[in-house]
Amino acid sequence: MRKWTDSNGRSTPAAEFKWHKSAITSIEWCPTDESVLAVSGADDQITLWDLAVELDAEEEARHRDAMVGSNGARRDVPAQLLFIHQGQSQIKELHWHPQIPGALASTAASGFNIFKTISV
């Protein structure tokens, strides 16, 4: 995923976040928080992103050091990644609930989910 900005009349990525390993199947901005984005992918994941998160150099180093898996391998988890929802297969669509802030509904071949995170 890339966050674009206009610089000198040209569109260039301001940031690039790599997480989903397959095609994106649905994307929708949060209606109550303009910097939060929900994304579903063919990799059977729904992710929530806060594009307003920007770490300074000290925070970036602390974040990088904290992202080590149980086997000691370093995991590259972007600071902007708020939440990962898994458990559905072949996710096709997601939408923010119009009346419950932070709640999402998703449809997939395996059924549908409605969930609310504590992050938004």
Side-chain angles (χ1 to χ4, degrees):
M1 175 171 58
R2 289 183 180 162
K3 176 182 173 184
W4 294 88
T5 187
D6 187 27
S7 126
N8 299 324
R10 297 180 305 193
S11 291
T12 57
E16 185 173 345
F17 311 110
K18 295 182 180 183
W19 188 261
H20 286 275
K21 304 299 181 207
S22 295
I24 300 300
T25 58
S26 187
I27 186 168
E28 189 168 292
W29 289 101
C30 178
T32 58
D33 190 335
E34 64 187 23
S35 66
V36 175
L37 181 68
V39 179
S40 66
D43 57 0
D44 299 334
Q45 296 184 70
I46 294 174
T47 53
L48 297 184
W49 300 82
D50 186 348
L51 301 185
V53 173
E54 293 184 24
L55 303 179
D56 62 27
E58 182 180 319
E59 291 172 320
E60 184 71 38
R62 194 170 45 244
H63 176 77
R64 189 174 42 253
D65 292 342
M67 295 297 115
V68 178
S70 59
N71 63 354
R74 186 170 302 279
R75 297 177 356 200
D76 188 20
V77 179
Q80 295 78 7
L81 180 58
L82 297 177
F83 182 79
I84 303 168
H85 178 73
Q86 296 176 312
Q88 290 181 287
S89 61
Q90 300 178 26
I91 303 168
K92 298 301 178 195
E93 195 170 7
L94 63 80
H95 292 287
W96 294 95
H97 193 285
Q99 297 173 326
I100 304 172
L104 281 164
S106 60
T107 60
S110 58
F112 68 94
N113 284 184
I114 299 173
F115 60 94
K116 183 176 183 344
T117 71
I118 60 170
S119 301
V120 182

